[in-house]
Amino acid sequence: MDKKLTEVKKKIKEDELLRSVNLFFSLTNTTVYLVGGYIRDLLLGKESSDIDIVVDAPTSTVKALAHFLNATVFYLRKREIYARVMIMREGRRIDISFINEENFKEELERRDFTINSMAINLAKLFKDENDFFIDYFDGLKDIEDGIIRQTNPNVFEDDPIRVLRAFRFKNLLDFEIEEETLNNLKTYKSYLDKVSPERMRDEFFRITLMDNKILYDLYENGILTEIFPHLDYEFLQMALTNLEDAISKPEKYFKQEEVREVFVNFWNEPVGKEVFHIQTFKLALLTFGEETPALFIRKKFNASLRTCTKVQNVIFAFKYLKNSYEEGQDILSVDFIGTFFRTYKKETIEAYLLLTFYYKNSKKFPKKDVLDFIALFVKNRFKSLVISGNEIVKEYGLTPSPFVGDLLMYLKAHQILEKIKTKEDAKALIDKYLKKEE
């Protein structure tokens, strides 16, 4: 027996959950197969918490299985012939398909790639029978050779999202896409328009969390421009290259260790429940050429309003800074920053950093001063204002209004720049501001 299969067999036998699954189906003499990515990951020596199984049994069996495992059932496609459910147990997931065992080979052939089309007869494995491993399409060999290969010529036509999955697996596993498979997926790349926005979001947003090289790979193979027709690739590459440098070598940009750590962590902070800053930044770069990026993201990916707004604001904030700088305005003055904060405060880091990248080779651009400002913003952005809006309204007899909002952003700019530190400092500044507005 192959050494890898021996190791896989050992790991499966040590898995308490899989022992329980095998016991349950053995009670009814039902054949159960492990399939898909779980086997692939085991063969690659990777840990996987998600388990895929296929059984020839009534779909009602899943309720009994869930009860047996003391788990919860979530029906995904209850009324379809191939019902699928998920059982969550201690952070693990079992994804179950119900089929006619006579069609088992066809079930495996309908899967996307050979490395995901292997199966294990669980009963035979636990009985120590040697023929427990099923590999109709030489998936094990392709794993050993580092190859992504289609199981049949129709895989991309049947489900175009596999075009993106091919590149995700390629970059995730450091494999190569086999030539015929690559040519075939290019033939069907335009079919990505037929994929639902929700599935596009799930797949592409995962890609935005990966190394930048996958985006370059998608571009070189004509896939990225299929999704983003107005892509400015040079702008994308310039920004991503510089951002990668800033994140990996923050000491080149910021002196203080505290600032470096917060800056690096910023990119992994969530923007709502859907994405992180690194993802909205990449999406902003990808949609930079769109007239209304928010509408584009919404239509293409059915992203949340928060995500769409964030992506668009990053673009608009950068363009506002760039235009202001080219018009000769002092983009580092307190007055300018206060005005900028009124609309784009949450996009300060991305917009000013992107501006620094854009003018990286300009001798006139005040790169050091801009980075110093970013450092102060990173350091002080979450500090509460030394005086609240309610206090200002009450003490100065003002009415809550946009004017008060402008005043608060003006004060926030001063505080972030460390020009005011106490309530008394703030009040003195308010007096000047109000006098100027008279």
Side-chain angles (χ1 to χ4, degrees), residues 253-256 258-260 262-263 349 368-381 416 418:
Y253 295 77
F254 308 109
K255 295 178 181 179
Q256 294 177 287
E258 173 193 1
V259 171
R260 296 175 201 163
V262 175
F263 171 79
I349 294 175
K368 180 181 180 302
D369 294 337
V370 171
L371 290 176
D372 287 345
F373 165 64
I374 295 174
L376 287 171
F377 184 86
V378 167
K379 179 181 175 183
N380 299 318
R381 64 188 173 123
I416 283 178
E418 299 181 347

Side-chain angles (χ1 to χ4, degrees), residues 231-279:
L231 175 69
D232 184 338
Y233 182 68
E234 288 186 6
F235 183 78
L236 171 76
Q237 192 174 37
M238 175 278 296
L240 289 181
T241 300
N242 282 284
L243 179 62
E244 188 173 350
D245 184 62
I247 293 175
S248 63
K249 302 172 184 175
E251 66 278 2
K252 289 173 56 178
Y253 295 77
F254 308 109
K255 295 178 181 179
Q256 294 177 287
E257 179 64 33
E258 173 193 1
V259 171
R260 296 175 201 163
E261 183 178 351
V262 175
F263 171 79
V264 171
N265 291 336
F266 165 80
W267 301 100
N268 294 319
E269 290 177 6
V271 179
K273 298 179 180 179
E274 192 173 59
V275 289
F276 299 93
H277 280 121
I278 187 66
Q279 292 173 284

Side-chain angles (χ1 to χ4, degrees), residues 152-195:
N152 69 79
N154 300 319
V155 294
F156 301 111
E157 183 179 10
D158 292 342
D159 189 359
I161 200 66
R162 291 167 171 169
V163 170
L164 294 181
R165 282 172 58 84
F167 284 93
R168 179 161 62 81
F169 283 128
K170 173 189 174 182
N171 285 269
L172 190 66
L173 304 177
D174 196 24
F175 280 17
E176 290 297 325
I177 301 175
E178 177 262 342
E179 185 177 359
E180 185 176 345
T181 302
L182 182 62
N183 291 334
N184 195 26
L185 73 81
K186 287 180 179 180
T187 299
Y188 290 103
K189 64 181 181 180
S190 63
Y191 280 45
L192 283 169
D193 277 344
K194 299 181 179 181
V195 179

